[in-house]
Amino acid sequence: MRLGVLDVGSNTVHLLVVDAHQGARPLPAFSHKAELRLAAHLEDGDRLSGEGERLLRDFVDEALQIAEDKGVEDLVAFATSAVRDASNGDDVLARIRDDKRIDIRALSGDEEARLTFLAVRRWFGWSSGRLLVVDIGGGSLEIACGIDEEPDAAFSLPLGAGRLTRDWFTADPPSPDEVRNLRRHVRAEIARRVGDVARYGAADHAVATSKTFKQLARIGGAVPTSEGPYQRRVLPGDTLTEWTEKLAKMPASERADLPGVSERRAPQLLAGAIVADAAMDLFELGELEVCPWALREGVILRRLDMIVG
């Protein structure tokens, strides 16, 4: 059957259409996305603006038409931290549900971590042993670990690259004091949760997902996305530390010239690198392997499991 997943993220809203068959991996059939940057449309710190809601409603209209044109039989829609954390997020989603007849469910941070973990497990398989999965989004950081498809521990922290850039940096590039203050904050937040993971033992395989990690791996020497999803892409910890120091001294315009870094995401790459560097250091990870599957694929896989079951 043909499935669609509508992912309302903090930076990007993305419709992915896949062809799904029992016992086979979902095959991407069509992709449509736009960088709405909903997190930047929060008023008074936590309220989605009328303009933000309008942009989302317009994209939903496009997505529903595309899903119909592409023959989608089942459309699953979800929202992550920007809408989840908005004080009026539930009201916005309720109005869209009543008007557009589509139910966009705000996932909890723990659900994000668990679904991303499922996608990574299915990609790498049982032979990868105990997994530790790290995902940096626009609004939050998700971490999960475990030996099965359901993680032993899964949690979310408000350490997304976009959120931290808006809240902590006032200049481009930020001052050394701003960088150090953010570094101290990030490490304190992550350190509080290290024990939740360490109690289950060391990971056999440490994995990263998300656009932030893909960009960091690319500037660290990984092969480009154009060479396909089956190329092994690794982000070494020492390479990341070196690049984090370099990124702190670059304005966004220079970061955008780096391989694999888009102009729109360049401003938040430093904050993402600070989070990634802290996670690798505190969890004592020598390297992270980048997985091409993440939350969207996890949602699709869970939906397929429900249909087959």
Side-chain angles (χ1 to χ4, degrees):
M1 66 184 301
R2 180 158 279 193
L3 299 178
V5 58
L6 177 60
D7 174 359
V8 180
S10 298
N11 288 314
T12 304
V13 182
H14 189 171
L15 171 69
L16 178 64
V17 177
V18 301
D19 290 322
H21 307 275
Q22 185 176 358
R25 63 185 178 88
L27 296 175
F30 187 81
S31 175
H32 175 61
K33 58 186 175 181
E35 290 201 28
L36 302 189
R37 301 176 66 84
L38 293 179
H41 289 279
L42 295 177
E43 299 176 329
D44 303 322
D46 69 347
R47 184 176 180 82
L48 188 64
S49 68
E51 175 66 6
E53 180 175 350
R54 183 191 67 77
L55 290 170
L56 178 55
R57 291 168 69 90
D58 288 348
F59 188 90
V60 169
D61 280 336
E62 292 179 24
L64 290 174
Q65 185 60 58
I66 291 171
E68 180 181 326
D69 292 345
K70 298 299 180 183
V72 170
E73 299 176 58
D74 187 20
L75 179 62
V76 183
F78 66 90
T80 56
S81 62
V83 175
R84 177 176 69 235
D85 296 340
S87 60
N88 62 335
D90 289 342
D91 293 335
V92 169
L93 296 183
R95 285 193 290 271
I96 292 175
R97 181 185 63 242
D98 293 342
D99 186 31
K100 309 297 182 183
R101 300 297 184 228
I102 180 173
D103 186 14
I104 304 175
R105 190 167 72 88
L107 295 178
S108 70
D110 288 0
E111 285 180 296
E112 281 193 58
R114 291 179 180 280
L115 289 166
T116 301
F117 184 89
L118 172 64
V120 173
R121 170 59 74 194
R122 295 277 179 93
W123 180 268
F124 287 111
W126 299 111
S127 62
S128 56
R130 178 169 294 282
L131 286 173
L132 173 61
V133 179
V134 186
D135 179 282
I136 301 172
S140 59
L141 162 71
E142 277 73 48
I143 296 174
C145 69
I147 196 73
D148 296 315
E149 289 196 340
E150 187 67 23
D152 296 319
F155 56 88
S156 177
L157 297 170
L159 299 177
R163 181 199 298 265
L164 296 178
T165 301
R166 291 189 305 273
D167 292 350
W168 290 82
F169 294 157
T170 62
D172 180 27
S175 70
D177 283 345
E178 286 185 338
V179 172
R180 184 172 183 179
N181 288 338
L182 176 58
R183 184 179 185 276
R184 184 184 300 116
H185 168 72
V186 166
R187 286 177 175 256
E189 289 293 308
I190 296 175
R192 293 191 185 105
R193 303 304 299 267
V194 168
D196 296 338
V197 172
R199 61 186 297 225
Y200 293 103
D204 298 309
H205 194 183
V207 179
T209 68
S210 76
K211 190 70 171 180
T212 293
F213 274 115
K214 289 176 182 177
Q215 291 181 338
L216 291 171
R218 180 72 183 96
I219 65 175
V223 297
T225 304
S226 60
E227 294 196 18
Y230 299 110
Q231 293 286 339
R232 189 171 187 266
R233 296 172 174 88
V234 172
L235 177 60
D238 55 356
T239 300
L240 173 60
T241 299
E242 292 174 7
W243 268 106
T244 302
E245 294 174 358
K246 293 177 183 178
L247 292 170
K249 300 173 183 177
M250 293 182 182
S253 58
E254 286 187 24
R255 295 180 211 144
D257 290 333
L258 296 171
V261 179
S262 68
E263 182 177 354
R264 287 182 175 271
R265 288 185 178 265
Q268 66 185 46
L269 186 60
L270 171 58
I274 290 172
V275 174
D277 185 51
M280 292 191 72
D281 187 15
L282 291 168
F283 287 107
E284 300 181 355
L285 306 175
E287 67 176 28
L288 285 165
E289 182 170 1
V290 179
C291 179
W293 278 6
L295 177 59
R296 276 187 297 276
E297 288 77 15
V299 170
I300 291 169
L301 292 167
R302 180 58 49 82
R303 183 62 177 167
L304 283 173
D305 289 347
M306 293 173 62
I307 293 172
V308 172

